[in-house]
Structure formats: C-alpha cells, structure tokens
Amino acid sequence: MRETVIQFGEGNFLRAFFDAFLDELNKRGLYDGKAVIVKPTPRGNLDKFNKQSCVYNLVIRGIENEKSVYEQREINSVSRCVNPYEDYDAYLALAQNPDFRFIVSNTTEAGITFDESCKLDDRPALSFPGKLTQLLYERYRLNLKGFIILPCELIDENADKLKECVFKYAELWGLEENFTRWLNSENSFCNTLVDRIVTGYPESDAERIFEEIGHRDALLDTAEPYHLWAIEGDFENELPLSEAGFNAVWTDDIKPYKKRKVRILNGAHTSMVFPALLCGINTVDEAVNDKDVSAFLMHFLNECAIPVADNQSEYKAFANDVIQRFKNPFIRHQLRAIALNSVSKFNVRVLPTAKDFKEKFGFFPRCAAFSLAALIAFYKNDSPTDSDELVSFIKSSSVCEIVLSDIWECDISGMLDDVKASYELINKGKIREGMQWVIS
C-alpha cells in the first residue's frame, strides 16, 4: 500500500484518532494509503513501533446512545517510523515521494512555536515548524506538488499559526520568494478542531485485553466512542471521512464548533469542578453520579448555557453527548487535573456564557456566581495550581476585592451579591445546600 500521509507525532491521541480513521478507510476500500510517523521531539525512542512493525490494537469503550460500547480492532494504517534526530536524510527523503498528500500533526499545544535559534542546515531543526519548513523547502526544490496540512494541536487557529511560523522561518533563513509563493499556491493549511478523550495504555486492564487479543501489545491504546473532527476546507474527495461515517465536518469556519465545545464540554467541566471538589469528589464520573452535583451541572447546561446558544437544539444534543461521555466508567478523569489554571479557564469557558445570559435576560446566572464562589473558596483553603501571583492575590483578598478586580475579562460586578451569598454558604460547610439554592 502506498505511503500518503506524513504524521508528526506518535502519541496515543493520533493513534486513536487519525490513524484509526485511516485504518477504517483502507479496510472499507475508500482510501489507499498509510501514514509514516515522524518523531517530532528528541525525547524517547521508537523501539516499540519498530518491534511491532507499527501494528497495534485500539479498544473503544464507553457509552454511546445510552448503550455500553466495547470494540477492539487491530490498526494497520502506519507503515513505518522515521526519527529525524537519528536519520535526518531519511526524514528529508520523504519530500521526494509524490504520493505524499497529507501532513497531520499533534505535537502538543506547545509544539507550534517559533524558535529563532533554528537554522535551515540543522539536522533537524529543533522546533516542529522548523522541521516542517525544511521538509516543505525540499519538496519545493524538487518541483513537486504541495500538501494538505491538518494540524490537530489544541490551540485556536492551529493551521494559521503553523503557517505563520513557516513563513517566519522562510524569512529568517533568507529563502527565495518563489518558495513563499509556492507555499501559498500549492499547499492548504487547514484549521481543525479535534474532540475525543483518549485514555491511552490501560494499565489496570492490559493483561485481560492481552488475553482477548491473544498476544501482548506494548502500543495498546484505548479511547471513548465519541469523536469529532471539524476541518476548515473540503477535501472529502481525497479523504472521504464523511462517507465512511465518521463525525467529521468539512466547513468554511470551525469557530461555531469551537464555541460549542468550549461553552458546553469545557464550560461544564469548569462550572462543576470546584463544587464537586468541595464535596469531596475526585473524578468526573463520580461527580455526574452524585445527585447534587449532577443536578447543578444539568442546571448550568439547561438553564444557562443552552438558552443563550446560537442553535439551541444543536447545543442540547451536544450536551446530551457530553453527559454520556462524563459517565464513561472507563475514564477516570481527575477533577484536580481539570482545576489547573482555573482563573483563565473560568474567563474563557464560563464568563462568556454568563455575559451572554446577562445581555439576554438582564442579570447574571446564579449558577455562574456559585461556581465562582466555589473557585474562590478552593483557592483560599486548598493548594490550587495556578500562577503564584493569582493564588497569592485570591488568598489575601476579600470576596468583594476578588470579584471587582481586573483578573476577569469582563465586568462581573453584577455577580457580587450572589457570589457573596454563595461563598457564605460554602464557608459554613453548606456546599450541597448552596447547589440546591442555586437550582431553586
């Protein structure tokens, strides 16, 4: 089978997302191509891949359409791996194959960064955009067709930022203007939004799964059933994801999908995380199975987030999917992990909904005020993980000073009374009574 995809990143996510899609496309006769994995960082090695000829098993498990799902499949969509830090010539030789059409990446949120210390003659450039520029320049020099580039990093406008870095390297390295023209005319940088919880190697269940598949698998991966891939552009004729039945959307604008995810999934996480933690709950699935926290969460979704949505029926369907995902017994999502850097998360995930609610109904939703009060209480009395400056400020300031401060990205003074009332209940150990007060 031909090699048609260059994939930057060997992590669990791409193997349970893109590589699984590619495998299904191949098996159904809708596509004919495999991916070559390129190691994007010098850390670690590719021994596990090489020993298994890049073949591994993926287990999909969770809840879908109110039913339990458990599927095991062997993934054969990766042909080989290239480590540019050990064999740079093999990496650059990828540019010579005209069959390569797609470039896919997931190099973490920090991967798409410009490092001015990178040079064209580095073997390879240290940064991912630097390595990509080296590959693209070699492709251009060979007078070959460009690529469709699909970054999966979880940052806004991921392709636009990657392209910006590539152009910066072209300028820094003094590359000819014809190359930049070729970048624009022969390559498509497509912003994308990805959504799937990938739980990786299942430490506690691995031996049982090995018995099922009949052999050991050092690359065993696990994920939830739900998935979404929204892509700016339309290359369905070359990569028929929709025809294969995947929840993939080719669109002119992924912003509505991003907004829906942030307002519903991420907003649900951030709104409930501190009320749940203050109840002594540790994981998301425990939280949604707790009567009071679940009721509070559903109130936030149904009475706050969905009423101000652009498309309420679409948001409600997505919210139903989110609750099923939260209930997945195979995902032990720690609330303290969700609580990291929560001031910035509250600004992005909850306050825009609260602001829209106030504009529509004339007042701030009480559930947002209660979530904020719970955040303040946790920061004051526990050991939050956030910037030292923010933690110190919240610990040393009054509730009034915190609410009226400029750490919030909009004026929330209208929340003050409800935040103070909520904080008083929480401070008296009446967190559950407080959630019931919000709902009533």
Side-chain angles (χ1 to χ4, degrees), residues 28 43 82 84 100 106 123 146 171 192 277 290 298 323:
R28 294 184 57 180
R43 297 187 301 275
V82 173
F100 280 121
N106 186 26
R123 296 175 63 85
E171 180 180 3
T192 80
L277 282 169
D290 179 274
M298 296 309 297
I323 296 302

Side-chain angles (χ1 to χ4, degrees), residues 75-321:
I75 306 299
N76 294 274
S77 56
V78 178
S79 63
R80 60 191 170 103
C81 296
V82 173
N83 187 340
Y85 298 92
E86 295 180 354
D87 192 345
Y88 180 68
D89 291 335
Y91 166 65
L92 214 57
L94 297 175
Q96 300 171 11
N97 184 351
D99 287 340
F100 280 121
R101 179 61 171 146
F102 292 93
I103 292 178
V104 178
S105 68
N106 186 26
T107 59
T108 79
E109 290 87 336
I112 300 181
T113 54
F114 178 76
D115 180 354
E116 63 181 10
S117 69
C118 292
K119 299 179 177 61
L120 178 61
D121 57 2
D122 287 342
R123 296 175 63 85
L126 184 59
S127 76
F128 159 51
K131 279 189 283 293
L132 178 61
T133 306
Q134 290 173 317
L135 184 75
L136 291 171
Y137 187 60
E138 181 68 8
R139 186 79 161 190
Y140 155 77
R141 289 178 61 251
L142 294 167
N143 197 29
L144 293 175
K145 191 175 182 180
F147 300 98
I148 298 165
I149 300 169
L150 305 172
C152 297
E153 287 80 1
L154 289 174
I155 60 173
D156 289 341
E157 300 172 336
N158 45 21
D160 291 345
K161 290 177 181 175
L162 180 58
K163 184 177 182 180
E164 180 182 346
C165 288
V166 170
F167 272 77
K168 281 184 177 181
Y169 281 118
E171 180 180 3
L172 178 68
W173 297 342
L175 303 181
E176 54 265 42
E177 289 186 10
N178 281 342
F179 172 58
T180 57
R181 281 194 284 269
W182 177 86
L183 283 174
N184 275 322
S185 63
E186 296 295 325
N187 299 272
S188 297
F189 288 77
C190 304
N191 292 318
T192 80
L193 171 70
V194 298
D195 188 4
R196 172 172 253 179
I197 298 172
V198 175
T199 40
Y201 186 87
E203 294 286 352
S204 61
D205 297 331
E207 294 300 326
R208 177 185 58 77
I209 296 173
F210 294 159
E211 289 183 12
E212 289 179 3
I213 63 179
H215 62 88
R216 305 188 71 79
D217 182 357
L219 296 173
L220 179 63
D221 203 359
T222 60
E224 67 170 340
Y226 182 87
H227 63 273
L228 167 68
W229 199 4
I231 308 169
E232 283 186 355
D234 189 357
F235 297 97
E236 174 73 12
N237 61 324
E238 295 191 58
L239 193 66
L241 297 165
S242 298
E243 184 180 349
F246 294 116
N247 188 22
V249 181
W250 302 97
T251 178
D252 294 333
D253 185 7
I254 64 168
K255 292 185 183 68
Y257 299 94
K258 172 76 172 179
K259 180 179 178 181
R260 186 183 68 181
K261 179 176 181 284
V262 170
R263 295 287 186 101
I264 299 296
L265 189 150
N266 301 128
H269 271 157
T270 299
S271 68
M272 78 168 179
V273 63
F274 292 112
L277 282 169
L278 293 173
C279 287
I281 297 170
N282 296 313
T283 64
V284 170
D285 63 314
E286 292 172 4
V288 294
N289 285 307
D290 179 274
K291 186 179 80 169
D292 293 323
V293 176
S294 176
F296 177 81
L297 173 60
M298 296 309 297
H299 180 84
F300 169 80
L301 292 172
N302 293 326
E303 306 300 330
C304 179
I306 292 173
V308 298
D310 303 320
N311 185 326
Q312 293 190 23
S313 60
E314 182 182 292
Y315 271 59
K316 187 170 183 61
F318 184 67
N320 290 336
D321 286 338

